[in-house]
Amino acid sequence: DDDDDDELDDEEAAALAEAAAAEAGDEPEMEIDANEFFDTTLVFEDVLMDRDAQMAADKDMLRGLKLFFNNKIADAKQLFLAKSRTNPMYLLGLGALAYLKAGMTFDRADIEYAVTVAVAIDQFCQQLLPQESMLMGMAKWVTGASDKDMTNTELRLRLIRAEAAQFRGYLHLQQESVWHYVRGGLALRSGYKLLEQCYKVVRSWSEDEQRQRFDPHTLGGIIGTMGVVNLTLAMLPTKILRLVAILGLPCDRELGFRELRAGLQQGGVRAPLFALVLVAYYIIIPAFAPVLRDEYLLNGEPLLREQLQLYPKGAVHMWLLGRQLRLQKKLRASNDAFKGSARGGANTDFAQIEHVNYFEIGFNHIFSLNWLEAYRYWSILRRENGWSRAFYTFMCAVCLDMLGRRKLAHRLYRKAPKHVERTYGGRVLSAEQFVLRRCDQYTNENFRDSFLSGIEVMYLWNGFTLMTPRMLLKVLHFLERRLSEIGIGGCRRELLDAQHIAGERYEFDGLVELGDGSEPPASAVAVAAAAATAAA
């Protein structure tokens, strides 16, 4: 049909990968030492199990997941490692840990290791799956036989292969280059084709038959993962969605929600992960689209509350709580949640969890106009975290500039570009591209406008929507005073309008309040936010 003309077949996909690799000058797909990861002598009969036996074999997987969410990450890793050579499900657990670590550190070695583990998972499953000869394939085609009678174990191995391909795909996509977009898109396509095959098999049976034939970990995993794939792909930027469409990948948001919730209801080892995907969707998206905040929080807050009852001190859940509280403009409570998450990640194999939370706390202090505390957290990241020293140096300079320490700030603005040391697929990180442009502008203009850098950071991170009316009025007064000092028309009218709506008169010295501490009504927000945004 017409839709098929817009998709690549397997031969075209391979040609696209070859062309992209040649253009980027990248190495071909890595080769691994399979013996390092799994027992290469195992065959399908060694792992073949019925439904009940499979559920018994998965008990330690459930235990490992609970250990992970209760911040005992090293224990979870050891549990997965003990069984990973003979059971691909446990090797998938190790792969998931490697994937999460790579996503937090953005370190090239961590990314390469995570991709290596994903490749090992795929090879392990391929080794175990029954090999279909060309003659058998032709006989199947002639007789019209289908995959409907696939065993629980076969279905499970194909699902694990699909998930490993998803890991590879998303690891490539986050590296922000055309080559990695192509490579990631092809990995996602490969994973989706496997998942689609499993999904069709499951949906060819009635619900009662599904429960009788397949264990809940496999059944819920297939349905829920189909939901995750559709939902996450639907959220990708437009330029990547074009590639997704060419590769024939799905991005049906409604199907994603429906199947994600269905997978969650099935239970199983992946159910807590499906719950996190839903919570993250409802809590993180409004940070980029504030107009959705009230509606999304209405759905996300109860889900997160349920998960916190299960894992009250879980680092991941506390981080999400911090993001939720920030959306509700409860910045102090948000900081407490992020600090709780950081404590949960301390002294684990995922010490980067601390840094992820320091990043969030640094922004919270900026939105609270607490520049000294913000500087303290960005300084820690600048010393200890390797994601982007250039960005952290720039943020330190911004905080110092807003504190009036302009000479020291100017010195850091000059230093920041020198810390742009790494590229991914030949490109610099988007955040570092911004740092390079802005530092170059400030230096060429002799730092004339750098005093507005803090206001710009608030604007770019949608900070005005997270600030109280009092804080917005402070920003307005600061802008009026500083813009007037350099001979640019400020926002006097907007400031007076906002103060009139608030019904009070405030006096400020820079961004430090000298008033009586009372809170203006929320009706001042619209005028104040619009004026501050326009000025920034």
Side-chain angles (χ1 to χ4, degrees):
D1 61 56
D2 292 341
D3 291 339
D4 292 337
D5 295 337
D6 296 329
E7 298 181 8
L8 294 178
D9 59 28
D10 292 337
E11 195 173 318
E12 290 171 325
L16 178 62
E18 247 180 70
E23 185 178 342
D26 277 34
E27 296 293 324
E29 189 70 74
M30 66 180 65
E31 294 182 4
I32 67 164
D33 179 7
N35 287 299
E36 182 184 343
F37 293 96
F38 57 87
D39 185 344
T40 55
T41 65
L42 293 176
V43 295
F44 181 69
E45 286 70 22
D46 295 320
V47 295
L48 181 61
M49 300 182 193
D50 61 23
R51 180 185 181 279
D52 294 335
Q54 190 66 73
M55 289 180 67
D58 286 340
K59 283 184 178 178
D60 279 344
M61 194 70 199
L62 284 168
R63 194 158 65 88
L65 197 66
K66 288 178 181 177
L67 287 170
F68 173 79
F69 282 130
N70 284 312
N71 306 325
K72 297 178 181 178
I73 299 171
D75 293 341
K77 185 176 180 179
Q78 286 304 312
L79 194 154
F80 296 153
L81 194 59
K83 298 192 174 186
S84 62
R85 290 190 59 80
T86 56
N87 190 326
M89 187 72 167
Y90 291 86
L91 186 56
L92 180 69
L94 285 179
L97 293 179
Y99 169 76
L100 290 171
K101 185 174 183 180
M104 284 191 290
T105 66
F106 223 79
D107 182 77
R108 191 180 300 279
D110 289 335
I111 292 173
E112 288 177 356
Y113 177 73
V115 172
T116 300
V117 178
V119 171
I121 295 166
D122 184 70
Q123 290 187 8
F124 193 9
C125 291
Q126 285 193 69
Q127 171 188 304
L128 294 173
L129 280 165
Q131 300 301 308
E132 189 177 85
S133 68
M134 185 180 297
L135 190 60
M136 289 175 64
M138 288 180 63
K140 196 173 179 180
W141 178 75
V142 170
T143 60
S146 69
D147 295 319
K148 185 176 180 179
D149 294 323
M150 195 182 294
T151 65
N152 183 72
T153 303
E154 286 180 88
L155 207 62
R156 180 187 191 83
L157 291 171
R158 292 179 193 277
L159 170 61
I160 293 172
R161 281 193 69 198
E163 290 170 321
Q166 300 293 316
F167 289 161
R168 289 206 319 274
Y170 288 120
L171 283 167
H172 286 307
L173 288 182
Q174 75 180 36
Q175 295 183 63
E176 298 186 5
S177 75
V178 173
W179 160 232
H180 282 292
Y181 286 156
V182 171
R183 200 170 177 181
L186 293 174
L188 291 175
R189 180 181 188 270
S190 171
Y192 176 68
K193 292 296 182 185
L194 287 164
L195 179 63
E196 186 181 39
Q197 183 185 28
C198 297
Y199 183 74
K200 287 178 178 178
V201 170
V202 164
R203 288 306 191 196
S204 68
W205 296 94
S206 69
E207 290 188 7
D208 288 340
E209 289 170 328
Q210 289 173 16
R211 285 190 288 270
Q212 290 171 9
R213 294 180 63 87
F214 310 119
D215 70 86
H217 307 303
T218 302
L219 179 59
I222 291 169
I223 295 171
T225 303
M226 179 60 80
V228 171
V229 169
N230 275 274
L231 188 60
T232 53
L233 290 178
M235 291 189 292
L236 290 175
T238 304
K239 63 181 179 181
I240 304 180
L241 280 178
R242 293 194 191 103
L243 176 61
V244 165
I246 292 172
L247 294 172
L249 293 170
C251 51
D252 187 332
R253 193 185 306 266
E254 293 307 314
L255 177 66
F257 276 120
R258 186 170 67 251
E259 296 299 64
L260 193 50
R261 291 184 182 279
L264 185 57
Q265 289 174 356
Q266 291 285 346
V269 71
R270 296 170 179 83
L273 302 174
F274 297 153
L276 275 183
V277 170
L278 277 173
V279 171
Y281 179 86
Y282 285 125
I283 287 176
I284 294 175
I285 293 297
F288 302 96
V291 70
L292 300 173
R293 179 174 56 202
D294 293 342
E295 176 191 347
Y296 276 39
L297 282 180
L298 196 63
N299 292 302
E301 197 172 353
L303 280 170
L304 180 56
R305 195 183 305 120
E306 288 176 12
Q307 293 302 303
L308 283 168
Q309 289 173 353
L310 296 172
Y311 311 105
K313 295 184 180 179
V316 178
H317 300 85
M318 291 296 287
W319 180 82
L320 286 167
L321 178 61
R323 294 290 299 246
Q324 175 195 301
L325 291 167
R326 176 193 287 169
L327 288 174
Q328 295 169 328
K329 305 185 182 182
K330 300 174 182 177
L331 296 181
R332 287 184 183 178
S334 175
N335 282 340
D336 290 340
F338 287 135
K339 288 173 184 177
S341 176
R343 285 193 297 271
N347 304 317
T348 72
D349 283 357
F350 278 61
Q352 294 81 10
I353 292 175
E354 284 188 273
H355 293 161
V356 169
N357 284 283
Y358 291 166
F359 187 93
E360 303 291 355
I361 294 171
F363 273 111
N364 273 1
H365 283 306
I366 286 176
F367 302 148
S368 302
L369 308 180
N370 191 344
W371 301 103
L372 188 58
E373 278 298 295
Y375 172 77
R376 187 166 73 86
Y377 280 96
W378 294 117
S379 294
I380 293 172
L381 292 171
R382 183 180 174 222
R383 290 193 305 270
E384 300 178 5
N385 188 269
W387 172 67
S388 172
R389 199 170 174 210
F391 181 77
Y392 299 139
T393 301
F394 176 79
M395 294 303 289
C396 286
V398 167
C399 295
L400 290 170
D401 216 340
M402 300 304 288
L403 285 166
R405 301 290 301 276
R406 302 203 70 195
K407 286 186 179 179
L408 182 53
H410 296 171
R411 200 179 310 154
L412 290 179
Y413 284 132
R414 291 189 181 97
K415 280 186 178 180
K418 298 175 183 177
H419 295 304
V420 177
E421 299 166 348
R422 296 186 300 176
T423 60
Y424 295 88
R427 288 189 56 186
V428 173
L429 289 171
S430 298
E432 293 185 337
Q433 291 177 34
F434 168 74
V435 169
L436 289 171
R437 288 195 303 269
R438 194 57 78 239
C439 290
D440 183 59
Q441 176 192 336
Y442 290 160
T443 303
N444 290 339
E445 296 176 354
N446 198 25
F447 303 99
R448 185 194 68 175
D449 297 332
S450 68
F451 68 88
L452 287 173
S453 57
I455 310 299
E456 182 180 40
V457 165
M458 293 180 204
Y459 170 68
L460 292 175
W461 267 264
N462 284 326
F464 297 138
T465 65
L466 307 171
M467 298 167 70
T468 64
R470 170 177 304 282
M471 294 300 175
L472 290 170
L473 285 172
K474 289 182 181 182
V475 171
L476 274 171
H477 197 283
F478 171 81
L479 286 170
E480 165 61 25
R481 183 167 62 82
R482 297 307 297 269
L483 291 174
S484 297
E485 285 175 4
I486 61 172
I488 298 176
C491 44
R492 170 67 62 185
R493 182 178 61 80
E494 289 84 354
L495 177 64
L496 292 174
D497 287 347
Q499 289 176 333
H500 176 71
I501 293 171
E504 298 187 35
R505 175 72 184 170
Y506 294 94
E507 296 294 337
F508 304 101
D509 176 17
L511 293 186
V512 182
E513 183 193 349
L514 300 175
D516 61 4
S518 57
E519 185 73 16
S523 54
V525 175
V527 172
T533 300

